[in-house]
Amino acid sequence: MTSYRLATGGLINRQTLLSFSFDGKRMLGLEGDSLASALLANSQLLVGRSFKYHRPRGILTAGAAEPNALMTIGQGGRTEPNTRATMQELYEGLVAKSQSRWPSLEFDIGALNNMLSPFLGAGFYYKTFMWPAAFWEKIYEPFIRKAAGLGKVSYEADPDSYEKCWAHCDLLVIGSGPSGLAAALSAGRSGARVILVDEHSAAGGSLLSETATIGGDTAAQFVAETVAELASLSNVQILTRTTVFGWYDGKVFGAVERVRKHFGDPLAAMPVERLWRIVAKKAILASGAEERPLVFGGNDVPGVMMASAMRTYLNRYGIAPGKQVAIFTTNDSGYALARDLEAAGVHLVAVIDSRPDESFAYSGRARVIRGAVVSDAKGGKALSSISVWKNGNIETLKVDALAMSGGFSPIIHLACHRGGKPVWSDEQAGFLAPAGFNGFELVGAVNTMAGIAACLAEGVARGAACVETLGFAPTPTTFGKVEGDIVASPAKPIWNIPGIKGKAFVDYQNDVHRKDLGLAVQEGYGHVELAKRYTTNGMATDQGKLSNVNAIGLLAEARGVSPAEVGTTTFRPFYTPVSFGALTGTSYGKHFQPVRKSPLHGWATKNGAKFVETGLWYRSSWFPRAGETGWRESVDREVLNVRKNAGLCDVSMLGKIEICGKDAGEFLNRIYSNAFLKLPVGKARYGLMLREDGMIYDDGTTSRLSDQHFFMTTTTAYAAGVMNHLEFCSQALWPDLDVLLASSTDQWAQMAIAGPKARMILQAIVDEDISNEAFPFLGAKEVPLFGGQLYGRLFRISFSGELAFELAVPAGYGQSVADALMKAGKEHGIQPYGVEALSVLRIEKGHVTHNEINGTVVPADLGFGKVVSAAKADFIGKAMVAREGLADPNRLQLVGVIPLDPKTSFRTGSHILERHAAATLENDQGYVSSSAYSPHVASTIGLALVKRGSERHGEEVMIWNGVRNEYTPGRLCNPVFVDPANEKLHV
């Protein structure tokens, strides 16, 4: 018997027993236990095996930094590996399994690796897996893949739900220890909107493990009263079981709330996890400090634990860590544990204090050994003894539990997520957050405050100051006298402990020990980022929470420099692992992406449309009629009818962006490769948007509706990307330009009316003259409809090559306007047509889409050389589009392609070969980018990108599809198959 439950004490509910299992063994815990505390109460010290050496590992911490006690929780679809037992609340029926062992935790064959450890040092895989080369695919890779990872996931579907939501507040307080509680209370009393977040199951932080009193109340009573007052304030929201994992631009914080992870059978109506995006005007980081391990031999033996964790299990959970306990400390905090252990009746064998001259007023019964260190801990699956080194002499002490405290590292990760670099402090013996945050305050231990009283006072002051800058009047907040608190001074760090014989671990999770870091320096990998990757220190789910500072200290000593010169690795989200379920939210299965319907979806459904998913949209593909036996028959009819009469097509899915401001014209002039600054009001213009490298990014038309108002349309799939591009250019490249941008894709229902009878049909509802003289090609303006009852935007543009208009009306009126046009056009033979017919019409006319604008073409490749303005001073892509290689005559250029025999056909993606050339990569001349059957030409036609294509019109070629082994003789031709003189556009 080693660890055990005390008869009294703790904050657990001793009246409610909870049954759970660990590796198939039934155990009992109490309500309020964590899985870790329940295991300790059952004397289960061995909880896992290490990743590389499969050494026995026990519980080391009591929080999110736990590197050893990683469990697989749950069964079936609710299986969740790598759950920290220290963060998992106990519930009835919980099923937990240890990881990284086979066939069992007690007997693990992988432990043989420990015997091979001399051959498995840092970088062994780089040195070993290079030879013989044939072994890589046959032996090394399969072995590595089998060994990779920690727990095993389930292949069953997750039956639970997840959700995402936004929250807005005046002040976000991260951490609910003494500083966080005081800051939240001070701000909440002022009337400010406050959100208090803590990753643990209950607010209170370190106060839940304290025996000090505040104003005569126990620390736990103080927490209960403070939380009760905060909960009573309507302007305060408390989110426990919630981890803030990242800090992003605009004071947006990401957080995950474990809503139902502490229940065995979550309610179907509630999510198990909730992803919060919290927007805060001000924020306070009160995350505290993480106690550092000490690097001595055998410091990973089960029974060795952080002093603060041992204090938590003792005071919060009522668990004694062992029968014979020792403490190894470099600072005064070890004596707080010593006092509490003795008060609980636990036998304290000794306090080993590395400081030779400290005179802490310890009045306990235990022996204090000053100026000494623990050099080794002995034991296999449980601790049996420790070796105490002092002045070259070794003394052995029989103990079954050892607490260690190497000082504290402020938990500053969140404060460095946006590029800030931690700053080493010799005085504090740790890395501190950089100065200069705007509206993000650090309070309490994370800001080097020591002691409950100081943390409470600073929390009140910072909370009041934050909300006062927002216009709230702070309410005076005071607390009673704090008694019984031991205020620890900063520790003097010890990186290399003398007398070590066993392995001294730095990173417990990745089995990185002291010698690995020395070897990294010796072999030229002493830079902190290189050392991380060479040794794997600070990788995986731990991300260096416990190991980083010790590793940096050891690297510094090996290199003969200060930890300040070594620096830290980059801090980035996520601080702790976040489940895919939380990130996905409701977007899975059939809800993977929303069903986005056009404002004309109802009209299309009423007219019998067949729909196809195009990006985010459901788009009408074709409109079958009675008697038609296949989609091609329907599409041919729609195409012929557009060319003969008129058709109506839903184009609402096009991206639509409003661009306003006195510099809007100049802005577009820099965005597009062709000129837009002098575009007249009432006119539209086709534009090409280039990337910085000169390649075409997107194309579309932009209309000038007034002197300072432009309306841009983009490719459907690129709507969001173009909007982001424009925002970046406005905010980052040219912030001096007066430009406002707004996406209006969802605000407009837009329909194309194309065909020789389009004007007659449209004139029936438009109240203005839209004749060729009054409204010529590329005209654009707002027009009244139905006798002035409605206003819309009318554009005379064409994607089909026919006389055509596009009419945009407010989305809510889309269906009724389309119905009116169909009614007005009935006598003129109007029919709806879908995206399939639209594709045929545009290929017949030689119009390009992103089949051709594929990220590898420049304007000249598509015959758009004149669309690149030589007169403009600058535009995005101007410098790079002039590169010599982009003018190479052998570049792929746009051509038309048609089979020699109209009865044959070819497919998109087929390659172009010279007429009698072999089908090889060397003979490849290009490929078919788009193809369709044209009822107008009575043949399959296509657009292709071919080497020197513009010079090769009339050349016979072979169209080859290697996938289907198809060979079709064909001819290269002008890409415009219908009305090459553009006569129909101007009638």
Side-chain angles (χ1 to χ4, degrees), residues 561-853:
V561 298
S562 164
E565 188 172 334
V566 176
T568 67
T569 53
T570 302
F571 294 169
R572 58 174 67 90
F574 301 111
Y575 175 65
T576 55
V578 176
S579 70
F580 284 113
L583 295 174
T584 302
T586 58
S587 302
Y588 66 94
K590 68 178 182 180
H591 302 297
F592 176 71
Q593 61 185 25
V595 175
R596 196 173 184 186
K597 296 179 179 179
S598 153
L600 295 177
H601 189 88
W603 166 83
T605 301
K606 185 168 55 178
N607 283 275
K610 296 295 183 182
F611 293 96
V612 63
E613 290 186 51
T614 56
L616 296 176
W617 295 92
Y618 271 54
R619 194 166 187 180
S620 48
S621 192
W622 71 89
F623 294 80
R625 289 192 169 185
E628 293 175 344
T629 57
W631 70 272
R632 263 282 310 279
E633 191 173 349
S634 302
V635 171
D636 289 351
R637 169 184 51 77
E638 292 171 14
V639 170
L640 290 170
N641 189 68
V642 170
R643 299 258 183 242
K644 178 183 177 182
N645 297 310
L648 192 151
C649 181
D650 181 9
V651 293
S652 303
M653 307 82 175
L654 292 172
K656 306 176 191 67
I657 302 173
E658 313 284 340
I659 304 169
C660 302
K662 65 182 180 64
D663 294 322
E666 174 61 26
F667 178 75
L668 289 169
N669 217 42
R670 300 180 188 183
I671 290 289
Y672 283 122
S673 66
N674 48 325
F676 271 81
L677 184 60
K678 296 181 180 179
L679 178 67
V681 173
K683 296 294 289 185
R685 180 169 292 168
Y686 177 76
L688 282 180
M689 196 179 294
L690 306 187
R691 301 187 317 218
E692 290 282 4
D693 61 1
M695 303 296 176
I696 302 176
Y697 177 53
D698 195 37
D699 68 339
T701 60
T702 293
S703 306
R704 193 166 200 165
L705 301 179
S706 70
D707 187 54
Q708 296 187 14
H709 183 188
F710 292 79
F711 178 72
M712 175 187 289
T713 60
T714 75
T715 306
T716 300
Y718 276 63
V722 170
M723 183 66 187
N724 289 339
H725 174 60
L726 297 184
E727 287 283 11
F728 173 79
C729 292
S730 172
Q731 296 180 34
L733 299 184
W734 312 306
D736 54 310
L737 294 184
D738 179 9
V739 178
L740 294 174
L741 303 166
S743 172
S744 59
T745 302
D746 293 330
Q747 278 64 50
W748 295 99
Q750 194 155 320
M751 56 208 82
I753 306 93
K757 300 179 181 179
R759 182 182 287 113
M760 289 184 287
I761 297 169
L762 196 58
Q763 190 68 79
I765 70 166
V766 177
D767 299 337
E768 291 189 3
D769 182 5
I770 56 173
S771 65
N772 191 50
E773 295 74 20
F775 196 65
F777 182 59
L778 293 180
K781 64 178 179 178
E782 187 175 68
V783 294
L785 308 172
F786 307 107
Q789 297 182 73
L790 181 67
Y791 279 80
R793 293 175 177 176
L794 187 64
F795 312 93
R796 189 172 167 190
I797 51 182
S798 176
F799 200 51
S800 61
E802 297 291 332
L803 168 68
F805 301 83
E806 288 187 14
L807 176 64
V809 297
Y813 293 94
Q815 184 168 327
S816 58
V817 171
D819 287 341
L821 285 170
M822 293 298 292
K823 183 178 180 181
K826 185 175 182 181
E827 62 179 294
H828 301 293
I830 193 171
Q831 294 177 11
Y833 66 100
V835 67
E836 289 290 345
L838 181 65
S839 181
V840 175
L841 291 165
R842 71 96 181 169
I843 295 172
E844 288 182 340
K845 187 58 181 172
H847 286 315
V848 297
T849 65
H850 275 269
N851 284 33
E852 290 72 41
I853 303 174

Side-chain angles (χ1 to χ4, degrees), residues 859-987:
D861 298 337
L862 303 182
F864 293 151
K866 294 182 180 179
V867 184
V868 179
S869 173
K872 289 202 300 181
D874 197 12
F875 56 84
I876 290 178
K878 180 173 183 178
M880 299 296 275
V881 79
R883 286 177 290 170
E884 182 180 349
L886 299 185
D888 187 338
N890 285 314
R891 283 184 62 80
L892 302 183
Q893 297 174 342
L894 183 71
V895 294
V897 60
I898 191 167
L900 296 182
D901 182 356
K903 295 179 182 178
T904 61
S905 64
F906 53 84
R907 302 171 193 270
T908 300
S910 298
H911 286 259
I912 304 296
L913 306 172
E914 292 182 346
R915 185 71 173 86
H916 300 293
T920 66
L921 182 64
E922 291 76 14
N923 293 331
D924 187 20
Q925 298 293 297
Y927 64 94
V928 178
S929 57
S930 301
S931 65
Y933 178 79
S934 167
H936 180 83
V937 181
S939 169
T940 296
I941 61 173
L943 301 178
L945 291 166
V946 178
K947 291 179 182 178
R948 306 185 318 281
S950 61
E951 305 172 4
R952 300 171 67 175
H953 292 183
E955 179 182 333
E956 292 188 4
V957 295
M958 182 62 69
I959 309 168
W960 168 61
N961 186 319
V963 175
R964 296 177 180 268
N965 199 30
E966 296 173 346
Y967 292 83
T968 307
R971 179 183 293 109
L972 303 181
C973 59
N974 189 315
V976 183
F977 296 91
V978 173
D979 189 26
N982 289 328
E983 294 174 351
K984 294 184 177 184
L985 297 177
H986 299 281
V987 297

Side-chain angles (χ1 to χ4, degrees), residues 49-57 100 108-121 124 298-302 377 379-381 501-505 508 510-513 516:
R49 294 278 180 162
S50 68
F51 175 65
K52 186 161 73 173
Y53 299 129
H54 287 249
R55 289 169 65 97
R57 289 283 164 83
S100 297
D108 181 12
I109 290 177
L112 292 172
N113 285 358
N114 198 39
M115 300 174 62
L116 300 174
S117 60
F119 307 101
L120 302 177
F124 81 93
N299 61 342
D300 65 329
V301 174
K381 298 172 185 177
K501 294 182 179 179
K503 283 189 178 67
F505 284 91
Y508 292 80
N510 296 296
D511 271 349
V512 179
H513 54 90
D516 289 331

Side-chain angles (χ1 to χ4, degrees), residues 455-583:
C455 287
L456 289 172
E458 189 185 37
V460 168
R462 293 292 179 90
C466 281
V467 296
E468 189 172 17
T469 62
L470 299 175
F472 295 92
T475 299
T477 300
T478 58
F479 306 105
K481 184 179 180 180
V482 176
E483 295 181 339
D485 183 28
I486 293 178
V487 180
S489 58
K492 183 178 181 180
I494 305 176
W495 310 126
N496 270 301
I497 289 176
I500 294 175
K501 294 182 179 179
K503 283 189 178 67
F505 284 91
V506 180
D507 187 321
Y508 292 80
Q509 190 169 109
N510 296 296
D511 271 349
V512 179
H513 54 90
R514 182 179 67 162
K515 290 183 179 179
D516 289 331
L517 291 159
L519 182 62
V521 174
Q522 180 183 336
E523 298 191 344
Y525 296 93
H527 187 283
V528 66
E529 294 285 5
L530 295 177
K532 172 181 179 178
R533 286 148 184 84
Y534 194 65
T535 65
T536 69
N537 187 88
M539 297 180 75
T541 65
D542 176 67
Q543 288 297 298
K545 294 179 184 66
L546 289 180
S547 65
N548 262 7
V549 176
N550 282 335
I552 290 164
L554 289 166
L555 289 173
E557 283 198 353
R559 289 170 51 185
V561 298
S562 164
E565 188 172 334
V566 176
T568 67
T569 53
T570 302
F571 294 169
R572 58 174 67 90
F574 301 111
Y575 175 65
T576 55
V578 176
S579 70
F580 284 113
L583 295 174

Side-chain angles (χ1 to χ4, degrees), residues 287-520:
S287 50
E290 196 74 65
E291 193 169 27
R292 288 200 295 263
L294 287 158
V295 184
F296 54 88
N299 61 342
D300 65 329
V301 174
V304 178
M305 186 181 292
M306 303 308 304
S308 57
M310 193 174 285
R311 198 170 182 220
T312 295
Y313 291 117
L314 183 75
N315 295 330
R316 181 173 177 180
Y317 297 108
I319 293 170
K323 296 285 188 179
Q324 305 286 326
V325 183
I327 298 171
F328 176 21
T329 185
T330 64
N331 60 90
D332 293 346
S333 66
Y335 293 96
L337 172 62
R339 177 195 61 194
D340 293 350
L341 285 170
E342 292 190 330
V346 178
H347 179 53
L348 181 59
V349 175
V351 176
I352 300 97
D353 192 332
S354 65
R355 301 169 297 178
D357 302 321
E358 295 295 326
S359 56
F360 180 81
Y362 172 67
S363 57
R365 299 181 297 275
R367 177 186 173 198
V368 176
I369 310 174
R370 299 192 184 278
V373 295
V374 174
S375 60
D376 286 282
K378 300 293 195 301
K381 298 172 185 177
L383 182 65
S384 58
S385 66
I386 58 173
S387 298
V388 179
W389 184 97
K390 182 174 182 178
N391 298 326
N393 299 313
I394 299 290
E395 179 184 0
T396 299
L397 299 178
K398 296 291 185 181
V399 296
D400 56 13
L402 173 66
M404 55 179 170
S405 177
F408 292 84
S409 300
I411 305 174
I412 60 173
H413 296 68
L414 273 176
C416 299
H417 276 179
R418 295 180 60 206
K421 295 294 184 182
V423 179
W424 175 257
S425 168
D426 285 321
E427 180 184 355
Q428 296 295 328
F431 283 95
L432 310 182
F437 294 123
N438 181 21
F440 193 16
E441 301 284 343
L442 275 65
V443 180
V446 72
N447 196 35
T448 72
M449 286 292 107
I452 296 173
C455 287
L456 289 172
E458 189 185 37
V460 168
R462 293 292 179 90
C466 281
V467 296
E468 189 172 17
T469 62
L470 299 175
F472 295 92
T475 299
T477 300
T478 58
F479 306 105
K481 184 179 180 180
V482 176
E483 295 181 339
D485 183 28
I486 293 178
V487 180
S489 58
K492 183 178 181 180
I494 305 176
W495 310 126
N496 270 301
I497 289 176
I500 294 175
K501 294 182 179 179
K503 283 189 178 67
F505 284 91
V506 180
D507 187 321
Y508 292 80
Q509 190 169 109
N510 296 296
D511 271 349
V512 179
H513 54 90
R514 182 179 67 162
K515 290 183 179 179
D516 289 331
L517 291 159
L519 182 62

